[in-house]
Every structure is written in structure tokens, then in C-alpha cells.
Amino acid sequence: MNLCDELTIRMLLERHGFHFSKSMGQNFLIDPQIPADIAAASQADETCGVLEIGPGIGPLTSELAQRAGKVVSIELDRALLPILAETMAPYSNVEIVPGDVTRLDLKALIGEKFAGLRPIVCANLPYYITSPIVMKLLGDRLPIESLTVMVQKEAADRLAAVPGTRASSAISCAVSYYAKSKMMFTAAPGSFYPAPKVTSAVVRMDIRPTPAVQVEDEDGYFALIRAAFGQRRKTAANAIASGLGRSKESVIAAIEAAGFDARIRPEALTLEDFAKIQQALAAQ
Ligand code: SAM
């Protein structure tokens, strides 16, 4: 079955009485090149166990199944389960896990399903919860080697941005702390059914063996970064002071003690710079 053929999809969905749910971010791929390219970007091979989020009717799942040792796909919408049972029937190495990715114990799931395989994540993510999913996948310190995800282009730009450069944001810093990220390619709205309003893009994140910087208090470090980016167009000092509930004078003193101008913007700060400011604040 061609899972990217619009007519086939419509007939399949109609036969199962399926209706698209906007609230679940359902935009299914209809350009057959894209799932093949996402799977190739993930570098999945027979030594890999691939965790997929949101298989939909399975176009990416089938591409992954042809390359990987095993594919485990988490799908929230139970209405898709009978469709997946039909479309994934040819693949003995695919297992569908019903559930919400944000609520599942992914560490346990990976341990249980991927013994002897190298776990990776590959997905065309539901766009309404891109950041929470990426943060959970990275922050939970899952035993995965890489994440290859399709998201809205704007979100992809943030995931791939290097801290200390203009496009950087709190999530760019978090991604960079845990992984090395790379923008892979973009996909036009017409590659999906129904078509979203915006362009999409694929980002690959290779998990670092150890975080990019050593910090003593990781929670405090990320709280500082979130505060710094919490109020766009403000200086880092103003944003950190209001975000962390500290006096502006003490934050400016820490920023200057760390070697920066008091008016520096958060986008200009690298991961090491934030670590220095955290240390200077802690030393006060
Ligand atoms: N992989 C398919 C494709 O590329 O055609 C579908 C991708 S669609 C953008 C996102 C999928 O994620 C949908 O199947 C949707 O039902 C599912 N989904 C949405 N929220 C989810 C969640 N919290 N946990 C797991 N799956 C979810």
C-alpha cells in the first residue's frame, strides 16, 4: 500500500471512519520522498531500535522498518490503531504503543523494547507540543544516540541555532547543552495532508556523551537561561533580575564580574558564558 498516496489515504481513512484531529497536530505526509529522506537522515540501520512518536498511518514507520532492527511507535490517537494494524501488518519488526509520549516512562520503554539495539528517536512530531517533547527526550537523559525530528521550520531554526548567535533562544541552549544539532532539509506545506500553513524542516540532534559545559547546579543553570530569554528585547540583566526575582544591581554585578557588558543581550551569550554568570551569582 502506498501510504503517501492521497487517494489511498482518503479511502483508508474513510473505510475506518477516521476524522482528522487538529488538536493532535495531525498532518500526514503525502510526498513519498520525505519519509524516505527523514529515515535516511536518522541513519537508522539494522543495529538500531527506533522510537517513533506519532506514526499517523505509518509512512515514516514503514521506511524505518525497512532499515532498522526494530521500530516502536507511540500513538496518542486510538482511532489510528486499527488503521496501523492494517498498514503495518507487513512489518514484523514494528510495535505500536498506544499512549501520550509526554506521560510515558520512556526510559523504561526503551530498556524493555530495545535490548541489544542502539536506541535512536525519529519522528514527524505533532507541532503543538514540539518543545515539551524535545525537552523531555533530552532532559530525561534517555539512553538514545540521536533524535531526528520534523517540526515547523521556525521551531527547527531554534533547535539548530548555536548559542551566542542571533537566532538562539532558551531551547537552542538546552539542545546545545545535550546535543550537537544540524538542520537537514525543509518540506513545503504541500507535502502534507491536510496542508499546514507553514514550511516544515528536519533537524538531527546527536546526543553528546557528556553535556557541553560542566555545571554544578543544572536546574539553576537552566532556570538562569530561561529567565535570560524570558523577556525578549530586554537586556539579559533585566530579564534575569525579574525572572529570578533578584535585584538588578546584583545581576549586573554578576554579569560584569563574569566579564561581560551590563547591557549584553541573552542571544549574545554562549553556554560557557551562562555558566560563568551562574558562578558569579552563586558567589555573591
Ligand atoms: N508520522 C505521521 C506522518 O508523518 O504522516 C503523522 C505525523 S502527525 C504530524 C503527528 C502524529 O502524532 C499524529 O499521528 C498524532 O495523532 C500523533 N500525536 C499527537 N500528540 C501525540 C502525543 N502526545 N503522543 C503521541 N502521539 C501523538
Side-chain angles (χ1 to χ4, degrees):
M1 199 185 297
N2 180 354
L3 296 178
C4 284
D5 176 60
E6 206 174 321
L7 194 65
T8 308
I9 297 174
R10 279 189 210 209
M11 277 164 54
L12 185 68
L13 298 183
E14 210 175 285
R15 189 152 49 74
H16 286 272
F18 176 85
H19 298 287
F20 282 97
S21 157
K22 235 184 170 180
S23 68
M24 282 194 253
Q26 291 175 340
N27 301 96
F28 294 169
L29 282 163
I30 51 167
D31 176 344
Q33 194 55 46
I34 308 272
D37 288 349
I38 303 175
S42 79
Q43 293 174 7
D45 63 26
E46 65 282 2
T47 66
C48 292
V50 186
L51 183 68
E52 188 198 15
I53 296 137
I57 63 165
L60 177 57
T61 325
S62 60
E63 287 292 338
L64 292 167
Q66 290 166 52
R67 294 168 163 83
K70 185 171 181 181
V71 183
V72 171
S73 304
I74 302 169
E75 178 53 61
L76 176 64
D77 190 349
R78 288 184 172 268
L80 287 166
L81 301 181
I83 303 180
L84 283 163
E86 184 179 330
T87 59
M88 292 301 109
Y91 305 104
S92 58
N93 60 344
V94 172
E95 189 178 330
I96 306 296
V97 174
D100 180 342
V101 68
T102 61
R103 289 165 182 261
L104 287 172
D105 180 346
L106 299 180
K107 207 172 255 176
L109 188 74
I110 289 169
E112 184 192 322
K113 307 288 185 191
F114 294 141
L117 292 168
R118 295 187 300 123
I120 62 171
V121 171
C122 184
N124 174 16
L125 289 179
Y127 295 170
Y128 74 106
I129 43 166
T130 299
S131 299
I133 294 179
V134 171
M135 281 318 298
K136 180 179 161 84
L137 293 169
L138 293 170
D140 282 3
R141 296 276 169 86
L142 302 176
I144 50 175
E145 292 187 6
S146 63
L147 304 174
T148 304
V149 292
M150 172 164 261
V151 297
Q152 287 186 350
K153 170 75 168 55
E154 204 183 304
D157 286 337
R158 286 198 295 272
L159 295 179
V162 176
T165 65
R166 268 187 83 165
S168 120
S169 66
I171 197 157
S172 322
C173 291
V175 169
S176 214
Y177 179 80
Y178 294 112
K180 278 186 190 167
S181 60
K182 191 173 177 210
M183 179 72 80
M184 303 301 289
F185 60 90
T186 59
S191 310
F192 303 84
Y193 174 73
K197 289 198 175 70
V198 293
T199 298
S200 300
V202 172
V203 176
R204 180 186 160 97
M205 291 161 266
D206 286 292
I207 309 295
R208 299 177 190 274
T210 54
V213 288
Q214 296 300 314
V215 294
E216 271 174 31
D217 168 15
E218 211 172 69
D219 289 344
Y221 180 67
F222 284 118
L224 172 70
I225 291 173
R226 277 196 304 275
F229 285 100
Q231 290 163 311
R232 277 276 165 182
R233 285 185 292 279
K234 274 202 177 184
T235 60
N238 279 336
I240 292 169
S242 73
L244 296 185
R246 299 183 75 127
S247 76
K248 199 175 154 189
E249 293 69 34
S250 75
V251 176
I252 286 179
I255 287 177
E256 287 182 339
F260 307 106
D261 188 293
R263 289 159 303 171
I264 196 159
R265 304 251 159 208
E267 313 84 85
L269 293 164
T270 65
L271 293 180
E272 290 78 13
D273 298 341
F274 279 114
K276 284 183 197 158
I277 295 171
Q278 186 191 21
Q279 273 174 1
L281 279 169
Q284 284 179 344

